[in-house]
Amino acid sequence: MSRIVYIGVDGGGTKTSLCAADSGGRIFSACEGFGMNYNFVGVKKAAADFLETVGKLSLTEECKIAGIAIGDPSVDDLVPSPMTEEFVACVKTGLHLETQCPVYLKSDAFMALYGMTGGAPGALMISGTGSMGIAVDRRGAIHITGGWGRLTEDEGSGYYIAVNGIKAALRCYDGTGPETVLLEKFRKYFGTDNPRKFIAAYYAGCGSFPEIFGFSKEVGDAAENDREAEKIVHACADILIAGMGALLKKADLSQCTAGIYGSVLLHNTQIRNRFKEGILKKYPDVKIEVPSVKPEMAALKYMFDRERKR
C-alpha cells in the first residue's frame, strides 16, 4: 500500500532544507543539503544537488510523492524564467514523478512571507546569503525590492558585507584606504600571507561562493571595534531599511506585520537593531517580527492551501 508524501523545500544560496509530510500534514522526515540557486550553478547542477538532498529524506519504496512545494532562491515572482521550467522537468524526471504531480515554485521570500501571513497583506525582508524584500498588498498583488544577485553585490546581503569587507582589506593593503583590522582578518580567513595571491585563487574558482559569503561574519564581528567594518554593516542595514520602506509604500501598508529573516538580520545584532529603529521611526504602526513557521513548512502550507482550492 502506497504512503502519500508531500515535500516542502526552503532553497537557498548555500543550503537547502527539506521536510516530508503525510497527507495529514504531519512531518516525519527532514534534512539539509546543498544550495540550489540555478541562476548561479546552472540548472543541471542545481537539480542534481536537489535530488541528492531528497535522497537524504530516506523515503521508503512504498512512499509516493504527491506534491512538492519549493521556496526557490532562483525564482522572481514577477518574471517567469525558462530555467525554472527546465529545473522542474529535471526534478520530475529524476524523482520519476507522474505528469500530474504538482510542483509549486515561488520565491523563497514569498514562501517565508506566506508562512507568516497565510497570504494576508504583509511584508518580509530577507538578508542572508542574498537579500530580497517582498510584500503582498490588500489586492493580493506582489511587490519586490532587491534580489538583483551578485552582479550588483546583492546589496543588503551577507555577500554584500563580505565583498565590501574584502575591498576594505585590500584597500588597506594597497595603502589607498584607511587602516582596518579587516586586513588581518582577511589574511587569516583566506589563509594567505600575501593578499596578491588571492587573485589567482578567487578568479580560478578556488574561492567558492559559500567561502566568500562566510567572510561576512568576520566583518560583522569586527564592526564592534573597527570603523571600516562598522561603516559596511551600517550601510547594509540602511539598504535594508530603504528596501522595506519602498515595499511598504508600494503596497500601501502603513499598518501591517513586517517580517525579518535570513542569517544577517537574525544573527547580526547591529544590523537588526538599526533596521528596526529605521523602520519604526517612519512606520510606527508596523509590527516587526521573526516568522515562527520554518520556510520549508511554509511551503507545505502553501501547497496544502492550493490543493484544497483545486
Side-chain angles (χ1 to χ4, degrees), residues 91-102:
V91 168
K92 282 198 165 189
T93 299
L95 293 176
H96 308 291
L97 300 182
E98 296 178 359
T99 305
Q100 66 270 26
C101 179

Side-chain angles (χ1 to χ4, degrees), residues 58-250:
S58 300
L59 302 180
T60 57
E61 289 186 4
E62 66 267 19
C63 288
K64 179 181 179 181
I65 299 174
I68 302 176
I70 302 174
D72 190 335
S74 317
V75 165
D76 187 315
D77 294 298
L78 301 180
V79 181
S81 167
M83 293 177 71
T84 300
E85 295 180 8
E86 184 182 354
F87 177 77
V88 171
C90 288
V91 168
K92 282 198 165 189
T93 299
L95 293 176
H96 308 291
L97 300 182
E98 296 178 359
T99 305
Q100 66 270 26
C101 179
V103 177
Y104 294 102
L105 278 93
K106 302 289 284 186
S107 71
D108 53 342
F110 177 90
M111 289 301 195
L113 175 61
Y114 191 88
M116 185 177 72
T117 66
L124 178 78
M125 181 60 67
I126 293 180
S127 177
T129 308
S131 177
M132 179 179 174
I134 187 167
V136 173
D137 65 23
R138 292 178 181 84
R139 296 175 291 108
I142 294 174
H143 305 271
I144 293 173
T145 59
W148 296 113
R150 292 184 222 169
L151 288 177
T152 61
E153 296 182 351
D154 215 337
E155 292 186 323
S157 70
Y159 183 71
Y160 168 87
I161 294 171
V163 168
N164 280 277
I166 290 170
K167 290 196 292 186
L170 299 182
R171 283 194 295 264
C172 175
Y173 175 78
D174 281 340
T176 60
E179 290 292 320
T180 172
V181 72
L182 292 175
L183 176 56
E184 186 56 30
K185 284 187 171 289
F186 173 90
R187 284 189 168 114
K188 288 181 178 179
Y189 183 82
F190 291 105
T192 177
D193 57 335
N194 183 351
R196 301 299 302 182
K197 295 178 181 178
F198 180 71
I199 299 172
Y202 182 78
Y203 289 103
C206 297
S208 67
F209 175 62
E211 184 182 25
I212 297 299
F213 162 72
F215 190 64
S216 62
K217 186 177 186 305
E218 301 295 320
V219 181
D221 290 345
E224 295 290 339
N225 303 298
D226 184 89
R227 177 58 183 153
E228 292 307 298
E230 182 185 55
K231 287 193 319 191
I232 294 168
V233 164
H234 284 185
C236 179
D238 291 344
I239 290 167
L240 298 174
I241 291 167
M244 178 60 83
L247 281 174
L248 295 174
K249 183 177 180 180
K250 289 178 182 180

